[in-house]
Amino acid sequence: MKSALTILIADDNPSDRLLLGAMLKQFGHHVVVAKDGQEAVDLFDPAVIQLVCLDVRMPHKNGWEAAVEIQNLSLDSFIPIVFLSGVTDPVALSNCLEVGGADFIAKPYNPALVTAKLNAIARLLVMQKTLEDQRDAMAWYNEQLVHEQEMAKEIYENITHSNCLNDPALTTYHHASHTFNGDVILAAYKPNGGMHLLLGDFTGHGLSAAIGALPLADIFFDWTKKGFLMRQIIPEMNARLKSILPANMFCSAAFIDIKANEKNVEVWNGGLPDLLFFSQSKKEPRRLTSKNFPLGAVSPTIFECVVEPISYVPGDTLISFSDGVYEAADRNEVMFCESVLKPLYRGDVKPSDSIDWLIDRLKAEGVLDNPHDDISCLGISLDTCIGANSLTDQEFAGLVDFPADFSFEYKLSAESLRTTDPLPYVLQIITTVPGLSSYSSQVFMILSELYSNALEHGVLELDSSKKNTLDGFSVYYKEREQALASLKNGFVKISAKVVSDKQLGQLILEVEDSGRGFDYESLDFTLGSTEVPYNRGLALLHQICQEIGFSNGGRTVTAHFHWRPEKNN
């Protein structure tokens, strides 16, 4: 803004009006003249006038009244008002300030004083214009920032969310303290049924915390889809986060592996509040405390993966929540873990209502109105149907299938059995056939069942009858870990053969182990023939496969799976 101003003068005295107008024009300003207060209001235009000079005593409308109306007409514009008066009454002068006057010019006019005051007002207006320009620039920048954040948030949510979160067995709640949520809940169906779940809480809040969720989600979804085990996925997550996150940043997390076919769930807790397992046979929940470092906190050489197995019956419930719930303060500034959560820990809250109960308590204590941390809750209604849809909800690529014929053999010695899970690698090779890739879930189920039987019952010689009780599952898998860790001899050999043409595709899987074999003649392949919580895998495979055969005294199992390529055209 230039120092020349457009000034409105209102004075009922012609000589004073002419004198001040001439003086202002001599200084280079533009002058608009009014003979009284009402005419001043009529002539005032906030888009043109930058300064108003009002005589205090005027007919029709005095200076004070005109000042109030002019200020109302100014809207958001800053238009200084200078009062002209020969009055020295302190009350009259204070009224000028009360109605919004910026300054006084006393009569008779002193050219030097008028010049000084106008120069001061001009500097004030230039400063005001600069602030308005900066305000507009900041508003535009903020609008762009919000737009970019909303776009980034949508991308972030698309990456970190999956359709599995809509599974009826899950209840989730997310409440961010900033635009971006530093907490993350991930869910993915496993190829052989069941589900992987992860609730993570990154250090800090907002965008910086949310960025870490992207590589975490990438590994979680990709490795789960390929059939990797929880014990393989967690160390990979830790290694990736440790390599990319700042030294003061990590992710407290709980990883949950639901093995629906076995009515078993495994829980890994690294730095989160206790997970609560509600069994129908007990009132108080079992508390699954943190026994691991958070993800990204320590190097891969130090990182360990301590997992707690739990057997369940349909109707049991598992819940998890982030620090935002545990450390929230009630209206008396007492942490939730010391006050609000006690009924939940005592088992006084109905398990199926626990997440809704938590949300109600957060609302009642005013936490959601002013959250100091991101808040996330996850409830799981455990059932044998979890992940069942993963066998049928296939996304066919619509590719033309070409004939494919190949075979390979994969043999694992004792050392490889201790340190390697071959299933994801074998599955990747098999599903290179376009038509067969659409049946990866079924193929993985066949592979995993044959391989686990060969390893656990053949090489390790474990007895399935130990799974007769719910606690027996935990004992069984603990013995499995111990036996595998001390394994010195033995092998498992996986052979695969694919033959396909335009009419029919055939996959022949053969798994051989070094065990003693078993009496396969007495096997019952009727899926619903028994209520025992084991020996259901082969019966399920008998429904999926066209043929299952045993040889070599039960040490070799062969499964035939057929598909028709034209289904994908």
Side-chain angles (χ1 to χ4, degrees):
M1 176 185 292
K2 296 180 181 179
S3 57
L5 305 174
T6 300
I7 304 174
L8 171 63
I9 299 174
D11 196 327
D12 62 328
N13 189 319
S15 59
D16 288 343
R17 187 169 63 243
L18 290 173
L19 176 60
L20 182 59
M23 191 182 303
L24 295 177
K25 289 178 182 179
Q26 185 179 359
F27 298 151
H29 300 296
H30 306 290
V31 177
V32 178
V33 178
K35 295 186 291 293
D36 55 49
Q38 183 59 56
E39 187 176 3
V41 173
D42 295 339
L43 292 174
F44 176 74
D45 182 355
V48 176
I49 304 300
Q50 297 164 294
L51 173 63
V52 177
C53 296
L54 299 174
D55 188 19
V56 175
R57 311 289 187 186
M58 290 186 293
H60 304 298
K61 200 178 287 282
N62 63 36
W64 300 319
E65 295 169 336
V68 172
E69 292 195 33
I70 286 173
Q71 286 180 329
N72 292 335
L73 294 172
S74 299
L75 300 177
D76 295 331
S77 301
F78 173 66
I79 311 294
I81 297 176
V82 176
F83 284 97
L84 312 170
S85 178
V87 178
T88 58
D89 180 15
V91 176
L93 295 178
S94 65
N95 287 340
C96 295
L97 296 176
E98 288 178 4
V99 297
D103 206 341
F104 303 95
I105 295 180
K107 297 179 181 180
Y109 301 125
N110 183 320
L113 183 60
V114 171
T115 301
K117 290 197 174 189
L118 289 179
N119 287 337
I121 291 174
R123 288 194 298 270
L124 181 63
L125 290 172
V126 169
M127 185 184 300
Q128 176 68 20
K129 183 63 168 62
T130 302
L131 291 175
E132 289 177 355
D133 291 342
Q134 292 177 344
R135 177 202 63 193
D136 294 342
M138 289 295 293
W140 179 86
Y141 175 77
N142 185 66
E143 184 179 342
Q144 290 294 110
L145 182 62
V146 170
H147 174 71
E148 291 176 0
Q149 283 187 339
E150 290 298 327
M151 292 287 290
K153 182 181 179 183
E154 184 175 351
I155 295 172
Y156 165 79
E157 290 179 348
N158 288 339
I159 293 175
T160 58
H161 286 65
S162 75
N163 292 331
C164 300
L165 288 176
N166 296 325
D167 191 291
L170 305 181
T171 303
T172 61
Y173 182 74
H174 247 2
H175 189 81
S177 59
H178 294 72
T179 300
F180 286 91
N181 198 329
D183 291 353
V184 60
I185 299 178
L186 307 176
Y189 293 126
K190 299 189 296 182
N192 61 335
M195 183 184 291
H196 278 165
L197 293 140
L198 184 141
L199 190 153
D201 180 1
F202 280 87
T203 309
H205 313 290
L207 179 60
S208 60
I211 286 176
L214 300 182
L216 190 75
D218 181 50
I219 297 172
F220 178 86
F221 290 123
D222 187 48
W223 284 47
T224 297
K225 181 180 179 181
K226 290 179 179 178
F228 284 94
L229 303 176
M230 178 177 70
R231 298 169 185 268
Q232 297 170 303
I233 299 174
I234 292 174
E236 178 65 18
M237 287 179 170
N238 177 74
R240 180 77 64 85
L241 293 183
K242 183 61 179 175
S243 67
I244 64 175
L245 294 181
N248 62 343
M249 189 174 177
F250 52 82
C251 178
S252 299
F255 198 121
I256 301 164
D257 180 5
I258 301 176
K259 302 178 180 180
N261 292 330
E262 301 172 2
K263 297 181 183 178
N264 179 264
V265 59
E266 291 187 339
V267 175
W268 178 91
N269 188 354
L272 276 190
D274 296 351
L275 281 77
L276 305 179
F277 172 72
F278 293 88
S279 171
Q280 297 175 81
S281 60
K282 298 179 181 178
K283 179 183 178 182
E284 292 189 9
R286 174 178 171 181
R287 299 175 65 163
L288 305 171
T289 60
S290 172
K291 297 181 179 179
N292 301 275
F293 287 110
L295 297 172
V298 297
S299 66
T301 56
I302 301 176
F303 186 79
E304 294 183 352
C305 188
V306 179
V307 174
E308 285 194 66
I310 306 173
S311 300
Y312 71 85
V313 297
D316 290 347
T317 303
L318 180 66
I319 71 168
S320 177
F321 43 79
S322 62
D323 284 343
V325 176
Y326 190 78
E327 298 176 354
D330 62 20
R331 297 190 184 277
N332 297 320
E333 297 301 320
V334 179
M335 289 176 58
F336 265 41
C337 58
E338 298 294 335
S339 58
V340 175
L341 297 181
K342 285 185 177 180
L344 190 65
Y345 293 147
R346 291 195 302 262
D348 296 337
V349 181
K350 187 178 179 181
S352 59
D353 298 335
S354 54
I355 301 300
D356 290 336
W357 180 85
L358 276 174
I359 297 170
D360 289 341
R361 298 308 303 155
L362 290 166
K363 290 179 179 177
E365 298 296 337
V367 175
L368 300 184
D369 297 330
N370 185 27
H372 299 293
D373 196 1
D374 300 317
I375 293 171
S376 293
C377 305
L378 170 65
I380 309 168
S381 178
L382 297 168
D383 203 322
T384 55
C385 297
I386 294 178
N389 292 335
S390 64
L391 297 177
T392 57
D393 294 342
Q394 303 293 336
E395 297 180 1
F396 297 107
L399 300 173
V400 177
D401 297 334
F402 295 95
D405 296 275
F406 65 86
S407 63
F408 65 89
E409 183 177 289
Y410 199 105
K411 186 173 182 179
L412 296 95
S413 63
E415 182 179 357
S416 297
L417 291 172
R418 289 198 307 271
T419 60
T420 305
D421 177 20
L423 301 188
Y425 309 106
V426 174
L427 183 67
Q428 287 186 59
I429 297 173
I430 294 175
T431 54
T432 56
V433 181
L436 194 52
S437 63
S438 301
Y439 298 92
S440 59
S441 295
Q442 290 91 329
V443 173
F444 189 85
M445 173 166 281
I446 299 169
L447 267 173
S448 60
E449 181 63 27
L450 296 183
Y451 176 74
S452 62
N453 283 343
L455 175 63
E456 295 173 8
H457 308 313
V459 178
L460 302 180
E461 299 182 350
L462 297 175
D463 186 1
S464 288
S465 62
K466 291 182 179 179
K467 301 179 185 178
N468 253 327
T469 64
L470 293 178
D471 292 337
F473 267 97
S474 300
V475 174
Y476 177 87
Y477 284 105
K478 186 174 294 185
E479 289 184 3
R480 181 188 186 279
E481 288 185 14
Q482 294 172 349
L484 192 58
S486 60
L487 183 66
K488 302 296 183 182
N489 300 297
F491 71 85
V492 172
K493 183 172 68 175
I494 301 173
S495 302
K497 182 178 181 180
V498 174
V499 180
S500 66
D501 53 33
K502 290 291 185 179
Q503 284 72 44
L504 182 67
Q506 299 182 62
L507 169 65
I508 304 171
L509 289 170
E510 182 178 281
V511 179
E512 178 186 353
D513 64 71
S514 57
R516 300 178 182 178
F518 71 104
D519 180 16
Y520 57 86
E521 300 276 349
S522 60
L523 280 177
D524 185 356
F525 288 116
T526 305
L527 189 61
S529 63
T530 178
E531 292 298 324
V532 297
Y534 59 90
N535 284 342
R536 298 168 59 86
L538 287 176
L540 183 60
L541 295 193
H542 192 259
Q543 294 187 343
I544 298 175
C545 299
Q546 277 64 39
E547 179 184 344
I548 294 181
F550 298 87
S551 60
N552 195 21
R555 289 184 291 272
T556 302
V557 185
T558 305
H560 294 251
F561 178 76
H562 297 172
W563 79 96
R564 295 195 176 277
E566 65 266 21
K567 288 182 66 177
N568 298 329
N569 292 336

